[in-house]
Amino acid sequence: MDEIVLVMNAGSSSLKFAVYRLAGAAELQLAARGQVEGIGTAPRMSARDGRGGMLAVPALSPVICDAATALEQVAGWLRSAFAGARTLGVGHRVVHGGAAYAAPTVVSQGVLTDLRDLIPLAPLHQPYNLAAIDAVAARLPGVPQVACFDTSFHRGRAEVTTVVPLPRDICGDSVQRYGFHGLSYEYIASVLPQCAPAIAAGRVVVAHLGSGASLCALRNGRSVDSTLGFTALDGLCMGTRPGTVDPGVVLYLFQGLGLDAAEVEAILYRKSGLLGISGISNDMRDLLASVEPAARLAVDYFVYRAAKEIGGLAAVLGGIDGLVFTAGIGENSAEIRRRICESSRWLGVELDLDANARHETRLSRPGARVSAWMIPTDEELMIARHTVRLLGIQGAVA
Ligand code: ADP
């Protein structure tokens, strides 16, 4: 009988999933990977097998599609595509682990209660992450589930990088700069020795540029600092989140404009960033294709902010040896990579334009003082690795 591990990465507008087989092999074997995108607007589902071949999936109705329905559709498809397989465990991406959860954790009712308390700190992700855990518990009772946190990889950093400079009695233990996208950075750090051995033990800035965007400073594969903080709002400009803003602006929204907390939350999480500046779209592809001045400004600001923060992390590391691009924009947009690299020339980044246009792994010219790379991330594999390790599932050395 097939034995499988499921991985769920559930967000507000997308649900990504992956299935790994444990056929006694030394490494987890990808059996299928897919996603439902455009939940709530124009939902569409896609799935591929382990070799990248398209798999048949149902067409989704735009009328009924919300996050719960998307989960139902995916569950139904998985049941038929893997009929007869035994599910040994399910791993989930959970964005916020707070102060209490420093490492991947087997889910229990008590854990879920703690994680629900963190929903206000990650309203775009945490409720959907936890809903996926509930949905799996209802459908596969008795199958152990593991919560893998985006914050874990950043734990153990120096206090100067985690402190929030407000009164200590107000901050306590819980108000600190956690950092996010940790599963992505952990995966990149795990493959650097094979993909980019020359920099794996060195000083590297990884740019995770997707709908959410951040940078991580790595020294010898460990997180030293990152641009996201207490919540996933800080740092770089994102699809619908602003990145760093003067906190006085937030005060003004309350005091000057009389908005309430729900309205301010909606502005900060869903209406700002690329969407807010452009007024057109949160999708980088739309903005790059647009001739509207507001779209250009949004792209200019995205690049400006990324280059500025790369400089900041280079100062933290005392110089850098490598710059790595990953996630939707970082893996697919040669133009954004080129512009960020041009703005980082002063650091010694020298892009090979042809390699960049061809999306090669090594993007920089031979001999460049700082090498540049494009490495696709794989958060789902990282979650599967944690899940088999934590559950002590035999046969998989991840
Ligand atoms: P998330 O996992 O946070 O939803 P992704 O890493 O999947 O985000 O990245 C999604 C984003 O990647 C999209 O919003 C889109 O802006 C961007 N993207 C994808 N392909 C391209 C491309 N070819 N050019 C520019 N941007 C792209």
Coordinates of all heavy atoms in Angstrom, one line a residue, residues 82-114:
F82 N -5.5 9.6 -4.9 CA -4.7 8.7 -4.0 C -5.5 7.7 -3.3 O -5.3 7.4 -2.1 CB -3.8 9.6 -3.1 CG -2.8 10.3 -3.8 CD1 -3.1 11.6 -4.3 CD2 -1.5 9.8 -4.1 CE1 -2.1 12.3 -5.0 CE2 -0.6 10.5 -4.8 CZ -0.9 11.8 -5.3
A83 N -6.6 7.2 -4.0 CA -7.5 6.2 -3.3 C -6.7 5.0 -2.9 O -5.8 4.5 -3.6 CB -8.5 5.8 -4.4
G84 N -6.9 4.6 -1.7 CA -6.2 3.4 -1.2 C -4.9 3.7 -0.5 O -4.3 2.9 0.2
A85 N -4.4 4.9 -0.6 CA -3.1 5.3 0.0 C -3.3 5.5 1.5 O -4.4 6.0 1.9 CB -2.5 6.5 -0.6
R86 N -2.3 5.3 2.3 CA -2.4 5.5 3.7 C -1.7 6.8 4.1 O -0.5 7.0 3.7 CB -1.8 4.4 4.5 CG -2.1 4.4 6.0 CD -2.0 3.0 6.6 NE -0.6 2.7 6.8 CZ 0.0 2.8 8.0 NH1 -0.6 3.3 9.0 NH2 1.3 2.5 8.1
T87 N -2.4 7.8 4.7 CA -1.8 9.1 5.0 C -1.1 9.0 6.4 O -1.8 8.7 7.4 CB -2.8 10.2 5.0 OG1 -3.5 10.2 3.7 CG2 -2.2 11.5 5.2
L88 N 0.2 9.1 6.4 CA 0.9 8.9 7.7 C 1.0 10.2 8.5 O 1.2 10.2 9.7 CB 2.4 8.5 7.4 CG 2.5 7.1 6.6 CD1 4.0 6.8 6.4 CD2 1.8 6.0 7.4
G89 N 0.9 11.3 7.8 CA 0.9 12.6 8.5 C 0.6 13.7 7.6 O 0.7 13.6 6.4
V90 N 0.2 14.9 8.2 CA -0.1 16.1 7.3 C 0.7 17.2 7.9 O 0.6 17.5 9.1 CB -1.6 16.4 7.3 CG1 -1.9 17.6 6.4 CG2 -2.4 15.2 6.9
G91 N 1.5 17.9 7.1 CA 2.3 19.0 7.6 C 1.6 20.3 7.0 O 1.1 20.4 5.9
H92 N 1.6 21.3 7.9 CA 1.0 22.6 7.5 C 2.0 23.8 7.6 O 2.7 23.8 8.6 CB -0.2 22.9 8.4 CG -1.3 22.0 8.2 ND1 -2.4 22.2 7.4 CD2 -1.5 20.7 8.8 CE1 -3.3 21.2 7.5 NE2 -2.8 20.3 8.3
R93 N 1.9 24.7 6.7 CA 2.5 26.0 7.0 C 1.7 26.8 7.9 O 0.5 27.0 7.7 CB 2.7 26.7 5.7 CG 3.3 28.1 5.9 CD 3.3 28.9 4.6 NE 3.9 30.2 4.8 CZ 3.6 31.2 4.0 NH1 2.8 31.1 2.9 NH2 4.2 32.4 4.2
V94 N 2.2 27.2 9.0 CA 1.5 28.1 9.9 C 2.5 29.4 10.1 O 3.6 29.2 10.5 CB 1.3 27.5 11.3 CG1 0.6 28.5 12.3 CG2 0.4 26.3 11.1
V95 N 1.9 30.5 9.7 CA 2.8 31.7 9.6 C 3.4 32.1 10.9 O 4.6 32.3 11.0 CB 2.1 32.8 8.9 CG1 2.7 34.2 9.2 CG2 2.0 32.6 7.4
H96 N 2.6 32.2 12.0 CA 3.1 32.7 13.2 C 3.1 31.7 14.3 O 2.1 31.1 14.7 CB 2.2 33.9 13.7 CG 3.0 35.0 14.3 ND1 3.9 34.8 15.3 CD2 3.0 36.4 14.0 CE1 4.4 36.0 15.6 NE2 3.9 37.0 14.9
G97 N 4.3 31.5 14.9 CA 4.4 30.6 16.1 C 4.5 31.4 17.4 O 4.5 30.8 18.5
G98 N 4.6 32.7 17.3 CA 4.6 33.6 18.5 C 5.9 33.2 19.4 O 6.8 32.6 18.9
A99 N 5.8 33.7 20.6 CA 7.0 33.5 21.5 C 7.0 32.0 22.0 O 8.1 31.5 22.3 CB 6.9 34.4 22.7
A100 N 5.9 31.3 22.0 CA 5.9 30.0 22.6 C 6.4 28.9 21.7 O 6.9 27.9 22.2 CB 4.4 29.7 23.1
Y101 N 6.2 29.0 20.4 CA 6.5 27.9 19.5 C 7.7 28.2 18.6 O 7.6 28.9 17.6 CB 5.3 27.6 18.6 CG 4.1 27.0 19.5 CD1 3.1 27.9 19.9 CD2 4.1 25.7 19.8 CE1 2.1 27.4 20.8 CE2 3.1 25.2 20.7 CZ 2.2 26.0 21.1 OH 1.2 25.5 22.0
A102 N 8.8 27.7 19.0 CA 10.1 28.0 18.3 C 10.4 27.0 17.2 O 11.2 27.3 16.4 CB 11.2 28.0 19.4
A103 N 9.7 25.8 17.3 CA 10.1 24.8 16.3 C 8.8 24.1 15.9 O 7.8 24.2 16.5 CB 11.0 23.8 17.0
P104 N 8.9 23.3 14.7 CA 7.7 22.6 14.3 C 7.1 21.8 15.5 O 7.8 21.2 16.3 CB 8.2 21.7 13.2 CG 9.4 22.4 12.7 CD 10.0 23.1 13.9
T105 N 5.8 21.7 15.5 CA 5.1 21.1 16.6 C 3.9 20.2 16.2 O 3.2 20.6 15.3 CB 4.5 22.3 17.5 OG1 5.6 23.1 17.9 CG2 3.7 21.8 18.7
V106 N 3.8 19.1 16.9 CA 2.6 18.2 16.6 C 1.4 18.9 17.1 O 1.4 19.4 18.3 CB 2.8 16.8 17.2 CG1 1.5 16.0 17.0 CG2 4.0 16.1 16.7
V107 N 0.3 19.0 16.3 CA -0.9 19.7 16.7 C -1.7 19.0 17.7 O -1.9 17.8 17.5 CB -1.7 20.0 15.4 CG1 -3.0 20.7 15.7 CG2 -0.9 20.9 14.4
S108 N -2.2 19.7 18.7 CA -3.2 19.2 19.6 C -4.2 20.3 19.8 O -4.0 21.4 19.3 CB -2.5 18.9 21.0 OG -2.0 20.1 21.6
Q109 N -5.2 20.0 20.6 CA -6.2 21.1 20.8 C -5.6 22.3 21.5 O -5.9 23.4 21.3 CB -7.4 20.5 21.7 CG -8.5 19.8 20.9 CD -8.9 20.6 19.6 OE1 -9.1 21.8 19.7 NE2 -9.1 19.9 18.5
G110 N -4.7 22.0 22.5 CA -4.0 23.1 23.2 C -3.2 23.9 22.3 O -3.2 25.2 22.4
V111 N -2.5 23.3 21.4 CA -1.6 24.0 20.5 C -2.5 24.9 19.6 O -2.2 26.1 19.4 CB -0.8 23.0 19.6 CG1 -0.1 23.8 18.4 CG2 0.2 22.3 20.4
L112 N -3.6 24.4 19.1 CA -4.5 25.1 18.3 C -5.1 26.4 19.0 O -5.2 27.4 18.4 CB -5.7 24.3 17.8 CG -5.5 23.4 16.6 CD1 -6.7 22.6 16.3 CD2 -5.1 24.3 15.4
T113 N -5.4 26.2 20.3 CA -5.9 27.3 21.0 C -4.8 28.4 21.1 O -5.1 29.6 20.9 CB -6.3 26.9 22.5 OG1 -7.2 25.8 22.3 CG2 -6.9 28.0 23.3
D114 N -3.6 28.0 21.4 CA -2.5 29.0 21.4 C -2.4 29.7 20.1 O -2.1 31.0 20.0 CB -1.2 28.4 21.8 CG -1.2 27.8 23.2 OD1 -2.0 28.2 24.0 OD2 -0.3 27.0 23.5

